[in-house]
Amino acid sequence: MEKLEARIRNHDREIEKMCNFHYQGFVDSITELLKVRGEAQKLKNQVTDTNRKLQNEGKEVTMEELKQCRLQQRNISATVDKLTLCLPVLEMYSKLREQMKSKRHYPALKTLEHLEHTYLPQVSHYRFCKIMVDNIPKLREEIKEVSMSDLKDFLESIRKHSDKIGETAMKQVGLVVCTCGGGVPGAQDLVDFSPVYRCLHIYSVLGARETFEYYYRKQRRKQARLVLQPPSNMHETLDGYRKYFNQIVGFFVVEDHILHTTQGLVNRAYIDELWEMALSKTIAALRTHSSYCSDPSLVLDLKNLIVLFADTLQGYGFPVNQLFDMLLEIQDQYSETLLKKWSGVFRNILDSDNYSPIPVTNEEVYKKIVGQFPFQDAELEKQPFPKKFPFSEFVPKVYNQIKEFIYACLKFSEDLHLSSTEVDDMIRKSTNLLLTRTLSNCLQNVIKRKNVGLTELVQIIINTTHLEKSCKFLEEFITNITNVLPETVHTTKLYGTTTFKDARHAAEEEIYTNLNQKIDQFLQLADYDWMAMEPSSKASDYLVDLIGFLRSTFAVFTHLPGKVAQTACMSACKHLSTSLMQLLLEAEVRQLTLGALQQFNLDVEECEQFARSGPVPGFQGDTLQLAFIDLRQLLDLFIQWDWSTYLADYGQPTCKYLRVNPTTALVLLEKMKDTSRKNNVFAQFRKNERDKQKLIDTVAKQLRSLINSHHS
């Protein structure tokens, strides 16, 4: 109890403190309340006064007017309610018109849907509502037509922009290949695809998606055919090809974008079908137009463009193996254009050559030429300056142009995804064509040229010999480029040695022909007096000049391979012998004297002396003299009048006149017959004329008998 009382006292003290603390506030509140009571009394008085005035004023209003007023009030309220119900419909319709005006067709269609299904049913009993309901199909058709118009505009736009889109896509691939970066815009940055999306949505909402898809694909197929039709002059410039490729790439970039940004508007089967058509038409166009191209630089640029074209489309998932296969066909075309170009290069080199050994005056020039052409000769290196290489300038020039051709072939093989073996095979085959066809033809043309001289022919033989030796270095050069060893199975070998051998043989034959022609020119100067009674004291001038020409000519042959010089010399001597024999036996010489025959014998002796002098080293014994053995035996027979020996020994292997044909002897004997006493060859022996004529007749008879027995 004591504790409780103590606690109560504590609480009392707390209450007292609290009351003391809030006392002033309580006093203020009472004061405020007293003030409010006064204001409330005033308000009450005002209300009472206002009520009294209102009552006084309302006494004048009749009950009828009050009813009318209340009716109007209800009508206004009802009108407000109905307008409140119709206003959203009108606002929605206004919104619809605004959306259509601003070409926001898809939102307009959504608005039309809300209007039709949500708002108009609420006010369907109003006449204006029926007009709206009747107008909805027209509005829907209008939206459909306008969106289709937008689609047509879009299709026209992308047809015009295909070139730019394709150029951009190919630039992107080019930048990736070059790894040089750059912010090239994509197709979506160049073309606004929203008309397609809007139109697709609209037609989908309207339940006509299939119609839209059919129309879109049909129009794009038409555009594809237009894009794939190349201009007639496309082959004239690289820009023609580039524009063609840009349009094709642009077309398929757009379709790829549509494929990935719409659901089902186009599908992979549709795009694959278009691509198959595009691939076949593109390849056919390229085959046709590239065949007109004769500039290898343009063909090479075209190849690089096709590679970029293929890489671009491959990046979008299109198969391009056929394009790379076709590039191998174009490579053949490129090779042909290279061969034509190098044909001109070789012609210029061969036409401008002086066909003289290259002189060198110092070590610098010597090293420069040895650096251009693989040549080693210890003897030449030891010789002091000035000295000469054995070959003329066309040798290092032709060799270096063959290397340039190989580099040009290599350029085409880049980026074609070929193996090193395939590249090696391609280069070797093209180089073989260059050697066996192009260079060979150029060399043959030079050799067969009318104004080519013996000196030039000799130099050509020397040059082709050195070029033939250089073929192994060309083999090594190709090996170093392709890293394919020559021993590899199926590796194509170079046929250069055959080319140079053939050219050398042609030059050798031309030398023989040329020499014979020169001999014929000298023989045309022969002017024998076939009725001369006595010979002169020396050989004929024309023959002395001819022998002098042969001596100087064979002196030039010192650099030729020994067999060539020997063959040329033997050929010349045989041709000279045969020509002299024909000269003696020709039908126009109807008769001749012993004096003329003795003069002819002096000329033959001059030829034999030339043969004995060894104009070309390497002949054994009297091998070269044997070229004139037919003439020698025939002349000895007639000058010595040794018919008894000839007729007695004829047919024997050891016969002194073994090389004298009885037919030839008879022809010559007939020319020496006495056709008139004035010109009789035996006029100086008039006493024995009859005996001599009888002897000639007897010999002629025996010769005829020999001829007949031989034929039988």
Side-chain angles (χ1 to χ4, degrees):
M1 289 298 290
E2 286 176 0
K3 285 182 180 179
L4 183 60
E5 287 176 359
R7 182 120 182 208
I8 290 169
R9 284 194 299 271
N10 285 335
H11 278 296
D12 288 341
R13 279 196 299 272
E14 288 295 327
I15 291 168
E16 186 178 354
K17 284 180 184 178
M18 183 68 71
C19 289
N20 288 335
F21 178 76
H22 289 290
Y23 174 73
Q24 186 60 43
F26 175 71
V27 172
D28 292 339
S29 297
I30 294 298
T31 305
E32 286 293 327
L33 186 59
L34 292 173
K35 288 181 181 178
V36 169
R37 186 177 65 180
E39 293 296 326
Q41 186 61 44
K42 288 180 183 179
L43 182 60
K44 180 181 177 184
N45 294 335
Q46 287 178 357
V47 170
T48 303
D49 188 47
T50 300
N51 181 54
R52 188 178 62 254
K53 288 180 180 179
L54 185 61
Q55 292 295 332
N56 293 333
E57 297 244 351
K59 289 179 180 178
E60 299 177 4
V61 179
T62 63
M63 188 58 67
E64 192 61 35
E65 288 175 339
L66 186 59
K67 287 180 181 179
Q68 187 68 31
C69 185
R70 284 178 179 173
L71 181 61
Q72 289 176 352
Q73 187 179 13
R74 281 198 302 270
N75 288 342
I76 289 170
S77 178
T79 303
V80 169
D81 289 342
K82 297 303 181 184
L83 284 174
T84 302
L85 192 62
C86 292
L87 195 58
V89 177
L90 297 172
E91 287 176 349
M92 191 64 73
Y93 192 78
S94 175
K95 180 181 178 182
L96 172 65
R97 281 300 185 185
E98 187 61 36
Q99 287 171 336
M100 292 182 68
K101 186 178 179 181
S102 59
K103 295 187 177 181
R104 294 164 59 218
H105 303 122
Y106 184 67
L109 199 62
K110 287 295 183 184
T111 302
L112 189 63
E113 188 177 347
H114 285 303
L115 189 64
E116 183 180 22
H117 298 293
T118 305
Y119 293 96
L120 284 175
Q122 297 176 7
V123 290
S124 58
H125 51 284
Y126 296 114
R127 281 183 301 167
F128 79 88
C129 179
K130 189 174 186 314
I131 295 172
M132 284 186 180
V133 170
D134 293 341
N135 205 29
I136 281 175
K138 296 178 183 177
L139 291 172
R140 223 181 238 118
E141 195 61 35
E142 184 180 342
I143 291 171
K144 192 175 177 182
E145 289 175 0
V146 172
S147 62
M148 181 56 74
S149 175
D150 286 349
L151 176 67
K152 290 178 180 177
D153 291 342
F154 166 79
L155 291 172
E156 182 65 22
S157 173
I158 58 171
R159 190 184 69 80
K160 292 179 180 177
H161 287 87
S162 284
D163 186 18
K164 187 66 177 175
I165 296 168
E167 181 184 3
T168 301
M170 290 176 73
K171 274 184 181 178
Q172 285 176 322
V173 174
L175 289 173
V176 171
V177 172
C178 297
T179 64
C180 52
V184 180
Q188 66 277 7
D189 301 313
L190 296 171
V191 177
D192 178 17
F193 287 89
S194 58
V196 182
Y197 307 143
R198 286 197 302 266
C199 201
L200 177 62
H201 288 315
I202 288 167
Y203 272 71
S204 298
V205 169
L206 296 175
R209 182 184 175 98
E210 289 184 3
T211 304
F212 176 77
E213 288 177 3
Y214 175 78
Y215 177 80
Y216 177 84
R217 295 182 186 186
K218 181 181 177 183
Q219 293 303 313
R220 288 297 278 163
R221 279 195 183 93
K222 286 182 180 178
Q223 289 187 347
R225 290 189 180 91
L226 289 174
V227 164
L228 293 168
Q229 186 65 37
S232 58
N233 62 341
M234 182 173 77
H235 59 275
E236 294 177 359
T237 63
L238 190 65
D239 282 339
Y241 289 106
R242 184 179 287 111
K243 186 172 182 181
Y244 180 62
F245 288 145
N246 286 345
Q247 288 180 340
I248 296 171
V249 171
F251 178 90
F252 283 99
V253 167
V254 168
E255 290 307 287
D256 182 76
H257 188 78
I258 293 291
L259 174 69
H260 290 94
T261 55
T262 62
Q263 294 182 347
L265 176 57
V266 296
N267 54 33
R268 178 51 64 183
Y270 155 81
I271 290 183
D272 288 345
E273 178 198 340
L274 278 181
W275 175 240
E276 282 298 318
M277 177 185 73
L279 200 57
S280 62
K281 288 186 178 294
T282 303
I283 289 173
L286 288 174
R287 278 185 181 137
T288 301
H289 285 267
S290 65
S291 64
Y292 298 137
C293 187
S294 58
D295 180 7
S297 298
L298 181 57
V299 179
L300 184 62
D301 289 340
L302 173 59
K303 165 253 167 182
N304 292 329
L305 196 58
I306 293 173
V307 170
L308 181 58
F309 172 69
D311 288 345
T312 302
L313 287 165
Q314 192 172 40
Y316 284 90
F318 296 100
V320 293
N321 288 339
Q322 290 183 49
L323 283 171
F324 283 102
D325 292 341
M326 190 224 27
L327 277 172
L328 297 179
E329 297 175 24
I330 291 184
Q331 178 231 319
D332 295 334
Q333 170 70 13
Y334 177 69
S335 181
E336 286 299 319
T337 59
L338 285 182
L339 291 173
K340 287 179 183 177
K341 178 181 177 181
W342 257 263
S343 177
V345 170
F346 287 145
R347 277 200 306 271
N348 290 336
I349 291 173
L350 296 176
D351 290 345
S352 62
D353 197 67
N354 60 7
Y355 294 92
S356 300
I358 302 173
V360 281
T361 54
N362 55 55
E363 187 71 23
E364 184 181 350
V365 176
Y366 187 88
K367 286 183 177 178
K368 180 182 177 183
I369 293 174
V370 172
Q372 292 174 342
F373 181 74
F375 175 79
Q376 288 182 338
D377 188 333
E379 291 297 322
L380 185 63
E381 287 182 11
K382 292 176 184 176
Q383 291 178 18
F385 292 100
K387 52 189 174 183
K388 292 180 179 179
F389 284 99
F391 46 80
S392 69
E393 286 187 352
F394 95 55
V395 170
K397 286 181 177 178
V398 165
Y399 182 81
N400 279 288
Q401 282 302 321
I402 295 172
K403 289 170 68 176
E404 288 297 321
F405 177 87
I406 292 169
Y407 279 128
C409 290
L410 182 66
K411 285 181 181 178
F412 195 92
S413 66
E414 294 171 354
D415 303 319
L416 292 188
H417 315 304
L418 299 174
S419 67
S420 54
T421 306
E422 289 173 316
V423 173
D424 183 85
D425 187 61
M426 182 193 78
I427 290 176
R428 287 175 185 272
K429 284 180 178 177
S430 297
T431 307
N432 275 334
L433 283 175
L434 179 77
L435 296 174
T436 59
R437 194 173 78 186
T438 306
L439 180 55
S440 177
N441 287 342
C442 291
L443 287 170
Q444 295 290 344
N445 289 337
V446 170
I447 291 166
K448 299 294 182 184
R449 209 158 46 191
K450 287 184 179 179
N451 60 346
V452 68
L454 287 168
T455 307
E456 288 87 349
L457 290 169
V458 169
Q459 191 63 57
I460 288 171
I461 291 173
I462 295 167
N463 287 356
T464 50
T465 303
H466 286 284
L467 283 171
E468 181 184 345
K469 292 177 182 177
S470 73
C471 283
K472 63 179 181 179
F473 296 101
L474 289 174
E475 290 266 13
E476 291 174 8
F477 178 70
I478 295 173
T479 299
N480 291 335
I481 287 177
T482 61
N483 293 320
V484 177
L485 296 175
E487 302 83 39
T488 306
V489 181
H490 305 309
T491 299
T492 307
K493 303 298 180 186
L494 288 184
Y495 304 138
T497 52
T498 307
T499 295
F500 299 123
K501 279 179 182 175
D502 291 346
R504 189 164 64 252
H505 292 156
E508 291 168 7
E509 290 297 326
E510 199 63 28
I511 283 178
Y512 309 148
T513 304
N514 196 304
L515 269 174
N516 292 346
Q517 288 174 348
K518 290 288 185 184
I519 290 170
D520 291 341
Q521 290 174 8
F522 279 102
L523 286 169
Q524 287 175 2
L525 300 175
D527 187 20
Y528 286 102
D529 180 4
W530 298 111
M531 302 305 296
M533 300 309 296
E534 294 289 337
S536 66
S537 58
K538 60 176 183 175
S540 302
D541 291 341
Y542 88 90
L543 194 83
V544 173
D545 292 341
L546 170 57
I547 297 300
F549 162 75
L550 291 176
R551 288 186 190 280
S552 62
T553 297
F554 291 126
V556 178
F557 285 17
T558 51
H559 294 297
L560 281 175
K563 191 175 287 187
V564 177
Q566 291 168 22
T567 305
C569 191
M570 177 59 79
S571 171
C573 289
K574 282 183 176 179
H575 182 71
L576 176 57
S577 175
T578 304
S579 299
L580 287 171
M581 181 71 82
Q582 290 173 347
L583 198 63
L584 191 64
L585 300 175
E586 67 181 11
E588 291 181 5
V589 181
R590 297 180 182 278
Q591 54 183 160
L592 51 78
T593 63
L594 183 61
L597 210 57
Q598 289 171 335
Q599 178 62 46
F600 195 81
N601 185 55
L602 287 175
D603 292 348
V604 174
E605 286 177 348
E606 185 74 17
C607 295
E608 291 171 323
Q609 174 60 34
F610 168 73
R612 281 194 299 273
S613 68
V616 170
F619 286 110
Q620 293 182 350
D622 57 354
T623 304
L624 195 57
Q625 288 174 258
L626 291 176
F628 300 98
I629 189 69
D630 290 10
L631 271 175
R632 172 48 48 217
Q633 290 186 6
L634 182 65
L635 289 170
D636 285 352
L637 174 61
F638 273 85
I639 291 173
Q640 295 174 18
W641 206 250
D642 196 8
W643 292 107
S644 58
T645 303
Y646 177 74
L647 293 170
D649 295 345
Y650 182 78
Q652 300 296 322
T654 56
C655 177
K656 180 180 178 182
Y657 302 104
L658 183 66
R659 305 300 294 258
V660 178
N661 186 293
T663 305
T664 304
L666 180 62
V667 171
L668 193 59
L669 190 64
E670 292 287 346
K671 293 177 185 285
M672 299 183 72
K673 268 187 163 186
D674 181 21
T675 53
S676 69
R677 290 190 175 277
K678 182 178 180 182
N679 295 319
N680 192 340
V681 70
F682 299 109
Q684 66 270 39
F685 307 117
R686 293 185 185 283
K687 185 180 178 181
N688 300 315
E689 285 174 6
R690 290 180 182 175
D691 294 338
K692 291 290 183 182
Q693 286 299 316
K694 189 179 287 186
L695 178 60
I696 289 174
D697 289 339
T698 303
V699 171
K701 185 177 180 181
Q702 289 176 311
L703 286 173
R704 288 190 188 95
S705 177
L706 278 177
I707 293 168
N708 291 332
S709 63
H710 178 70
H711 284 302
S712 64

